[in-house]
Amino acid sequence: MAPNPERLLRANPRRQLKERLVKALVAAAALLSVLISIAIVASLVVRALQFVTGLMAPTADTMDEATGPVSLWNLVADQWAPRFFEFGIGTLIVGSLLVTVIAMALATPIGLGAAIYLSEYADARVRRIVKPILEVLAGIPSVVLGFFALRWISPNLVQVIFPSAGGQNLLAAGLGVGLLTIPLIASISEDAMASVPDALRQASAGLGARKRRTTLSVVLPAAVSGLVAALIVAVSRAIGETMVVFLAAGASGNSAQFTANPLDRGSTMTAAMASQASGTDGTISELGFNSLFFVGFVLFVITLLLNLLADRFVRRVRQSY
Amino acid sequence: MTEQSSSRIDQSAAVAGYASALDVEPKGPTVMNLDQVSVYYGDFRAVRDVTMPVYEHEITAMIGPSGCGKSTVLRSLNRMNDLIPTARVEGSISYMGVDLYGPNVDPVEVRRRIGMVFQKPNPFPKSIRENITYGPKIAGIAKSEWPALVESSLRSAAIWDEVKDRLDDSALGLSGGQQQRLCIARAIATKPDVLLMDEPCSALDPIATGRIEDLMQQLKDEYSIVIVTHNMQQAARVSDHCAFFTTEVDADSERRTGQLVEFSETTRIFSNPSDERTENYVTGRFG
């Protein structure tokens, strides 16, 4: 009996249904995560707008005895104290900037140095052991580093070098955040340098270049986009870091005086949001509460821009060599 | 190793030495000499007991089947094998009478005298000009000399006319054959004595291959060239002397180890080889 080709080739409706079901499930998962992100951004934007309009239209509740009705001018106050309608967001932005600059000043040379060692100098055995350790370090809970910054870095380092510094200061917080970002920079940079083809190192060595020269003139330039991406990711992480600053920078309660001096106590956008949201300030007004979303929105915009920038560089790294 | 081939090699080794003209068949001076060279990767002996000269202003080809150690030997000639942590060389490799693995020899200086062109074109992701000036720059040659050096190197590598109007464009925009000639120009720019070429045409099409082969003929007036090739016809076309390698199971380790079977004039290797294994290989009966 000849086989019936039509039967052999017939589609199996049950299998087709299963296939469609799986596709729908994973599509739903993807859609959900996008929707959640959009919802978060939307809630930020709505509340931030409410905050701004609240500033523009003062009511009896938003009247301060000392300073009078609120207005957009309150955004440039010389302190951050939502309880008193002092929304000097510059205080927080400068605080974040200080912490980030200090963190990067510590983490960039150490992180890049570690990456260069691991990628170019360490033998395979050392790399196999050290690289995973670095990645574990990147996972240390930031609250631990916050305590370390507060209880060790500040008294044993900052206050020893600068006796005028208080127990809590932006410098100690920045150094703590820097420790947090070292493994991040080292790990991503090492990946970028390891992806530089070995043929280029050989070409350089074949022309009579020493290792140092090959690293500086061939490997680093070839990996530069990846290295910049690593630094931008690290900056995003430093700006977004909350717990270390919350513990070690030490603006008490929910107010911070404007300062550009890293030895002063201060606050960052993230730490201010945390202290506000954690409710240590019970008597906060709706306007004050909404200011949290405004700060969050500013932070979101800054990190979004940084991530877009990082994405650009990562794209470029894929194109070269 | 057969009686016949080992006696030939021993004779040439006995008189080995720079500027020695006392070879069995009168030859030009040698620029390099290998004496009983074995190369190990860790415990594994990749190739053993290689004894052969490299004659000045000649093209010396190394041929043989895959895994016979010809590339390994080539890379030990300018200490590129040092980049592999487990690699180790036994025996002696001398350049102008100096043992390259001697205690006072800087491998970096060795590579400046003995340049290398690799199997796959590997230009730096920089401009054509920067590719050429890379070597001179690290050798400390004055910046004022670079423009002339760029032109002369690119001319020597027969690529000047194709790139002279776009020296500042990325080298990665060149075709494979152009990239390989650029790599040759880059190697020449450091003014080496010896050029090592590790299957320089294996990634190229026949036309680009032909251009590189023509180029080698021009270059041998100024340089001594050692080329590793998979392609017997290429060895027959371009080389003056030829070394045939093969693999054989090592009695000690029971692993396949490369060895030199025969070193002779290329015409002789291809027309009247002394060793049966060479004959089988060049006539296509093996490999």
Side-chain angles (χ1 to χ4, degrees):
Chain A
M1 197 173 75
N4 180 351
E6 220 170 288
R7 251 185 75 177
L8 277 174
L9 299 176
R10 189 184 298 153
N12 180 338
R14 266 189 57 194
R15 276 204 197 140
Q16 283 178 323
L17 186 69
K18 251 191 205 166
E19 193 60 33
R20 255 182 251 139
L21 207 69
V22 168
K23 188 181 167 189
L25 269 176
V26 290
L31 193 67
L32 192 65
S33 53
V34 172
L35 282 181
I36 290 172
S37 309
I38 291 176
I40 292 173
V41 175
S43 75
L44 266 184
V45 171
V46 168
R47 288 284 199 147
L49 276 177
Q50 279 177 10
F51 171 72
V52 175
T53 50
L55 278 182
M56 290 192 296
T59 64
D61 290 340
T62 58
M63 184 77 89
D64 188 80
E65 282 159 24
T67 55
V70 295
S71 69
L72 285 178
W73 288 106
N74 291 46
L75 282 175
V76 292
D78 66 353
Q79 61 172 329
W80 175 262
R83 191 203 304 223
F84 307 111
F85 304 123
E86 301 277 356
F87 300 113
I89 194 166
T91 309
L92 302 181
I93 293 177
V94 168
S96 283
L97 209 69
L98 275 177
V99 166
T100 304
V101 167
I102 293 165
M104 294 305 288
L106 175 72
T108 303
I110 299 179
L112 281 184
I116 290 173
Y117 171 73
L118 281 180
S119 158
E120 306 300 311
Y121 288 89
D123 65 47
R125 206 166 41 91
V126 173
R127 182 165 43 233
R128 260 204 314 277
I129 297 169
V130 176
K131 189 87 197 290
I133 294 179
L134 264 184
E135 274 151 17
V136 167
L137 279 180
I140 288 187
S142 57
V143 66
V144 174
L145 263 165
F147 262 112
F148 180 69
L150 178 66
R151 308 297 299 202
W152 197 90
I153 296 177
S154 184
N156 295 328
L157 212 65
V158 177
Q159 288 185 303
V160 169
I161 302 173
F162 305 102
S164 67
Q168 293 175 312
N169 53 71
L170 287 165
L171 181 56
L175 293 176
V177 175
L179 291 183
L180 212 62
T181 47
I182 287 173
L184 197 67
I185 293 179
S187 180
I188 301 178
S189 307
E190 202 270 337
D191 287 343
M193 290 166 67
S195 70
V196 173
D198 217 32
L200 295 182
R201 291 184 187 87
Q202 299 212 6
S204 178
L207 291 166
R210 289 174 205 284
K211 196 154 222 172
R212 179 173 45 91
R213 167 69 69 172
T214 300
T215 303
L216 289 178
S217 302
V218 175
V219 179
L220 289 183
V224 73
S225 333
L227 301 181
V228 172
L231 295 186
I232 291 176
V233 169
V235 168
S236 290
R237 176 82 172 87
I239 286 188
E241 173 49 38
T242 306
M243 211 58 209
V244 173
V245 188
F246 188 65
L247 289 174
S252 64
N254 187 19
S255 63
Q257 205 68 34
F258 180 86
T259 180
N261 181 354
L263 298 179
D264 288 343
R265 41 178 58 211
S267 190
T268 62
M269 292 185 276
T270 50
M273 288 175 69
S275 63
Q276 193 146 322
S278 64
T280 52
D281 194 352
T283 60
I284 199 148
S285 62
E286 197 193 346
L287 186 66
F289 186 68
N290 281 347
S291 73
L292 186 157
F293 290 90
F294 180 71
V295 176
F297 179 72
V298 172
L299 188 62
F300 169 75
V301 169
I302 293 175
T303 42
L304 180 71
L305 287 177
L306 282 171
N307 278 324
L308 286 177
L309 212 63
D311 195 53
R312 270 263 178 101
F313 277 106
V314 172
R315 251 174 237 278
R316 250 213 237 161
V317 93
R318 288 203 193 110
Q319 281 164 4
S320 60
Y321 55 79
Chain B
M1 196 180 282
T2 65
E3 280 299 302
Q4 223 172 352
S5 67
S6 75
S7 70
R8 275 188 55 78
I9 288 159
D10 288 346
Q11 277 171 336
S12 58
V15 294
Y18 180 63
S20 156
L22 301 172
D23 207 336
V24 238
E25 305 126 47
K27 280 293 150 205
T30 62
V31 62
M32 300 189 78
N33 280 289
L34 291 81
D35 188 15
Q36 294 291 310
V37 172
S38 297
V39 185
Y40 294 79
Y41 295 116
D43 294 333
F44 171 57
R45 180 153 69 167
V47 58
R48 67 181 175 91
D49 303 329
V50 177
T51 299
M52 62 177 273
V54 174
Y55 292 108
E56 240 180 17
H57 300 304
E58 272 201 6
I59 297 174
T60 304
M62 295 178 174
I63 60 170
S66 295
C68 69
K70 53 196 190 305
S71 282
T72 295
V73 170
L74 187 82
R75 295 166 69 86
S76 63
L77 296 185
N78 71 341
R79 298 193 60 169
M80 284 298 284
N81 270 344
D82 288 21
L83 301 181
I84 301 166
T86 58
R88 184 164 51 89
V89 171
E90 276 182 8
S92 112
I93 300 175
S94 64
Y95 161 72
M96 311 220 313
V98 178
D99 181 4
L100 288 184
Y101 289 82
N104 294 322
V105 170
D106 181 349
V108 168
E109 294 300 333
V110 171
R111 293 176 203 136
R112 285 180 190 169
R113 308 307 312 151
I114 304 172
M116 186 140 200
V117 175
F118 297 83
Q119 186 170 356
K120 225 180 118 211
N122 55 358
F124 298 125
K126 301 171 186 280
S127 73
I128 292 168
R129 189 195 307 278
E130 286 169 313
N131 265 278
I132 302 295
T133 56
Y134 185 85
K137 191 172 166 187
I138 59 186
I141 292 173
K143 212 169 177 171
S144 56
E145 294 177 35
W146 293 0
L149 205 50
V150 168
E151 180 170 346
S152 66
S153 306
L154 289 169
R155 276 191 194 282
S156 301
I159 190 179
W160 170 253
D161 289 331
E162 290 157 69
V163 301
K164 63 175 184 233
D165 298 322
R166 46 173 174 148
L167 290 177
D168 292 309
D169 290 3
S170 168
L172 299 184
L174 300 173
S175 71
Q178 288 174 324
Q179 287 188 5
Q180 193 62 303
R181 276 179 285 147
L182 176 67
C183 290
I184 293 174
R186 182 176 68 182
I188 290 171
T190 61
K191 300 196 190 296
D193 277 345
V194 183
L195 264 185
L196 308 178
M197 303 179 125
D198 189 358
E199 299 190 37
C201 303
S202 62
L204 305 181
D205 65 43
I207 294 170
T209 299
R211 301 200 63 161
I212 303 269
E213 288 179 5
D214 292 345
L215 175 58
M216 289 170 67
Q217 294 304 330
Q218 293 160 30
L219 291 175
K220 76 176 186 181
D221 291 343
E222 281 184 73
Y223 308 93
S224 312
I225 297 174
V226 184
I227 177 175
V228 162
T229 176
H230 244 97
N231 179 333
M232 273 185 290
Q233 287 74 29
Q234 180 170 60
R237 281 193 300 266
V238 302
S239 69
D240 303 293
H241 275 81
C242 195
F244 171 64
F245 289 73
T246 191
T247 65
E248 142 168 323
V249 177
D250 191 75
D252 305 335
S253 65
E254 298 187 347
R255 293 172 72 175
R256 294 197 86 79
T257 292
Q259 60 168 274
L260 175 65
V261 173
E262 186 168 0
F263 175 85
S264 186
E265 296 95 347
T266 300
T267 47
R268 183 160 171 180
I269 288 272
F270 283 92
S271 60
N272 185 22
S274 324
D275 194 290
E276 197 187 347
R277 290 169 293 176
T278 314
E279 188 171 0
N280 286 343
Y281 186 75
V282 299
T283 53
R285 258 176 277 166
F286 151 70

